[in-house]
Amino acid sequence: MNGFVEHGLDEGNFGDAKGISVKAFDAFPKTKPTYTTRTSSGGIWTLLLIFVGSLLTISEIRRWFVGDTSHTYSVEHGVAHTLQINLDVVVRMQCHDLHINVQDASGDRILAGDTLRKDPTNWGQWGKQKGIHTLGVGDERDRISYGEEDVHDYLGAARRKKKFKKTPRIRGDVDSCRVFGSMEGNKVQGDFHITARGHGYMEFGPHLDHNAFNFSHYINELSFGPFYPSLTNPLDDTVSTIDMHFYRHQYYVSIVPTIYTTTPAGQLSAASLASGASDLESQSLLADSSSTIHTNQYAVTSQSHPVPESQVPGIFVKYDIEPITLLISEESASLLSLLVRLVNVASGVVVAGGWCYQLTEWAREVSGRRGRKRMDSNMGMLHGRDESQDGMMSKKGY
């Protein structure tokens, strides 16, 4: 050791070269390479932590980009008096043989046949579009098709043109009637029905022959509230065909007023209830906003069945309005919140990875010690003696 000092050998001489370097400004001193040991598993753990950290980082960025969707139910505020009904249906009967009416719980009767448009058409020209199906058949498909979409999808669909498609040019015989358009009704429970001429209401004139009854139909559109043709509803693109003359197609619809928005829920509520405005007034105020749409969702069940000749066949839609409002809001966090999440992810991965690495190294060390002890014991047995015999020989002075 004295020679080590005399030759000017010092521990510091084996470190980094002296002089000005970037490491001189390092606030956190590092262990010198002389005292570090490289392990075979260290590189594997580093790659694993980088992979896990990248997956979590991508997940957080994707979640921040998509946003969080919340559903809030509340009792409907204000007083609304009217409800818009949008209909586009093809019935396999002549237009002059159909009667279309709406009767609500208040006793009002709306002659929808005078409000809606009727175009003669051919039955074979309909039902060829993609997605046409029979209600109640293929429930799994219906759940997938009508599952909840992204709020931005609804907002984008609502911005598209709000017009009914034109009736295609007639090819073949005229055997059907397309009824389509929008009409205003009272916002109360009601019954919308399509019946045959001379059946259902007292009127003058001859009744339609029973053999001409055929209420097979395609429903291209049935919605309530503002007309958004690009939004999909449960009865859209449904078909019902039957060969019986006296048959009642009965649909029960439960309507829920719904608001889709990307505006924070607190700001939307304040705007809706400002100055005691009713729902219709608040809807008109928010209609210009590209981040909010007001519409109505509904659930539907079918109880179609044949009826005797003493009853009235036809297409009946009984609708009821729930006294609640569903607010579907999609909100995105701020950029600062995203940065905080990313920092938490990075620190969590490093800390958890460090603990896992230390545990695995400790386990390997313990297993290595046991292996070495077992090997030493086996080597002693090869020489024909064990540790107890060595001890006895040492006491006897051999």
Side-chain angles (χ1 to χ4, degrees), residues 219-381:
I219 299 179
N220 301 314
E221 171 79 24
L222 179 60
S223 60
F224 301 87
F227 179 47
Y228 300 117
S230 298
L231 298 183
T232 303
N233 299 284
L235 279 176
D236 291 357
D237 298 329
T238 58
V239 58
S240 179
T241 56
I242 196 71
D243 295 331
M244 304 176 63
H245 299 300
F246 279 82
Y247 196 87
R248 172 175 291 201
H249 301 268
Q250 186 78 65
Y251 300 102
Y252 295 90
V253 176
S254 182
I255 304 171
V256 179
T258 306
I259 301 175
Y260 293 95
T261 182
T262 55
T263 305
Q267 299 181 15
L268 180 64
S269 300
S272 301
L273 301 178
S275 304
S278 66
D279 279 353
L280 292 180
E281 293 172 349
S282 62
Q283 289 180 16
S284 62
L285 292 174
L286 294 171
D288 297 332
S289 175
S290 60
S291 62
T292 302
I293 62 170
H294 295 258
T295 182
N296 294 277
Q297 295 186 100
Y298 64 84
V300 59
T301 58
S302 177
Q303 296 293 334
S304 302
H305 55 84
V307 295
E309 294 188 5
S310 58
Q311 296 186 17
V312 179
I315 303 172
F316 296 83
V317 180
K318 295 183 179 292
Y319 58 89
D320 194 6
I321 305 170
E322 302 295 335
I324 60 175
T325 298
L326 172 59
L327 173 63
I328 302 178
S329 175
E330 183 179 293
E331 301 178 11
S332 298
S334 61
L335 182 60
L336 178 61
S337 177
L338 174 63
L339 295 178
V340 172
R341 286 178 176 270
L342 295 180
V343 171
N344 291 337
V345 167
S347 58
V349 168
V350 171
V351 172
W355 278 102
C356 294
Y357 172 74
Q358 293 179 9
L359 289 175
T360 55
E361 289 298 315
W362 173 80
R364 290 180 58 185
E365 184 178 355
V366 171
S367 62
R369 289 177 182 176
R370 292 181 179 179
R372 286 193 297 270
K373 288 182 179 180
R374 192 178 300 109
M375 185 178 297
D376 293 341
S377 176
N378 293 334
M379 291 297 294
M381 295 300 296

Side-chain angles (χ1 to χ4, degrees), residues 20-34:
I20 300 176
S21 63
V22 178
K23 293 184 178 180
F25 299 96
D26 193 352
F28 303 96
K30 305 296 188 298
T31 303
K32 295 180 180 180
T34 310

Side-chain angles (χ1 to χ4, degrees), residues 145-173:
S145 177
Y146 303 122
E148 182 183 348
E149 301 179 35
D150 188 84
V151 174
H152 289 281
D153 294 338
Y154 280 94
L155 295 177
R159 297 189 190 103
R160 301 171 189 171
K161 59 181 181 180
K162 304 177 178 59
K163 293 183 179 180
F164 288 93
K165 296 181 180 179
K166 295 182 179 180
T167 304
R169 183 177 299 178
I170 300 175
R171 296 178 181 178
D173 298 333

